[in-house]
Amino acid sequence: MPIKRGQRPLETSESWSIDTAPGRVLYGAGVIDLIGEVVLELGGRRVLVVTDPGVAAAGHVHRASVALRGAGLEVAVFYGVEENPGERHVAAAAAAARAHEADFLIGLGGGSAMDCAKGANFVFTNGGRMEDYWGFGKAAKPMLPSIGVPCTAGTGSEAQSFAVISREDDHRKMACGDPKARFLATLLDPEVVRTAPSEVMAATGLDALSHALESFVCTAANPYSRMFASEGFARLLRGFDAVVDAQAAGDASGGRGKTEAELVELWGEMLLGAHLAGAAIEASMLGAAHGLANPLTARYDITHGVAVAVMLDHVVRFNGAAGGTGYGGLAQLAFGRAAGNGVASERLAKLWADLRDSAGVAARLRDLGVLEADLDLLSSQAAEQWTAQFNPRSASASDMLALYRAAF
């Protein structure tokens, strides 16, 4: 039988299997200007850029289009991406690819734009609708080559083979994955992410940190994934204070007297850290905090990173109470010394709460508009989430309810 993603090839905790992402990663200030050359190397001629109006307003679509057209490519742009893209956004992007007769796709923006580009690739090349690909490996036909260019430091979607798309009728998050959906190249440009508003960088930075934390201890974790998770965690912590300082200053020019070059470097740390944390997810999985977050986003339209942020410290304590969860490695990175699991989990939970507070993110579900009467429904939905199945401590619907109540 084929080994599914997150499944161990042998029934032992020491066995593991990964399917590594192909392609190139280009990192450095100004690498977006190389995008035309990269597309040519990968065989593209007619390119559809999938993005959103905010990215266009920041000038990134124009800069990329100039480089693409300078390489002699035919370029069209789909601007219709919105936060938490749904099936209608994917269908519209696929229609734009069809109209342009695209042979190459670029996801330019945050996780929403990159997920929408991957989703459009499924539907354009294999037909049907996004729900048909819910799960893994359901695309029978070849897919178009594609590139990811993240403009925020958050989801790490550019390092993953999954498109996370909301189902139209109930807004449930559908994780639709296939190795053919992976970007063949990723361009990580600190100059691009430097234009992101500091409050956006703070919220997405929390999301990225949560990826490192959850992937490091999930049941599918392995030495390969922990390598990415720990390196991503360290880099994200290094840059997060500068992001928060800039947010406190009211614009991206803050940072306690740091020069622009120093700020670009720190924003780059956030960008690379988010990418590495995304690679850790691709080589392992997540946990209960993401399982708890998805119903909050579906029912209340709470931004994904915020939904994770309000839940994660409670999940870390819940996991740590079981013993043997393995937070010690991350605690050593954060605090400079090793600690037993109970101490490590408590210290990381406190660190998380402090980071969330410094970013100005709500600490209570009630402050996000969540109704106490909905907690039972939310907990049953959270227990069904795929990511929750990989939590290091088994979490039933009643456990999920207790975690929601702790955060309420």
Side-chain angles (χ1 to χ4, degrees), residues 216 229-231 233-234 237 328-337:
F216 192 87
S230 58
E231 182 69 12
F233 185 72
L237 283 181
L330 292 182
Q332 186 165 9
L333 282 174
F335 308 114
R337 57 184 181 275

Side-chain angles (χ1 to χ4, degrees), residues 288-309:
H290 280 76
L292 290 157
N294 286 344
L296 296 172
T297 298
R299 188 165 183 84
Y300 289 98
D301 201 28
I302 297 170
T303 300
H304 171 73
V306 172
V308 175

Side-chain angles (χ1 to χ4, degrees), residues 384-396:
E384 296 172 354
Q385 297 292 314
W386 189 33
T387 56
Q389 312 310 313
F390 296 87
N391 196 62
R393 179 182 177 185
S394 179
S396 65

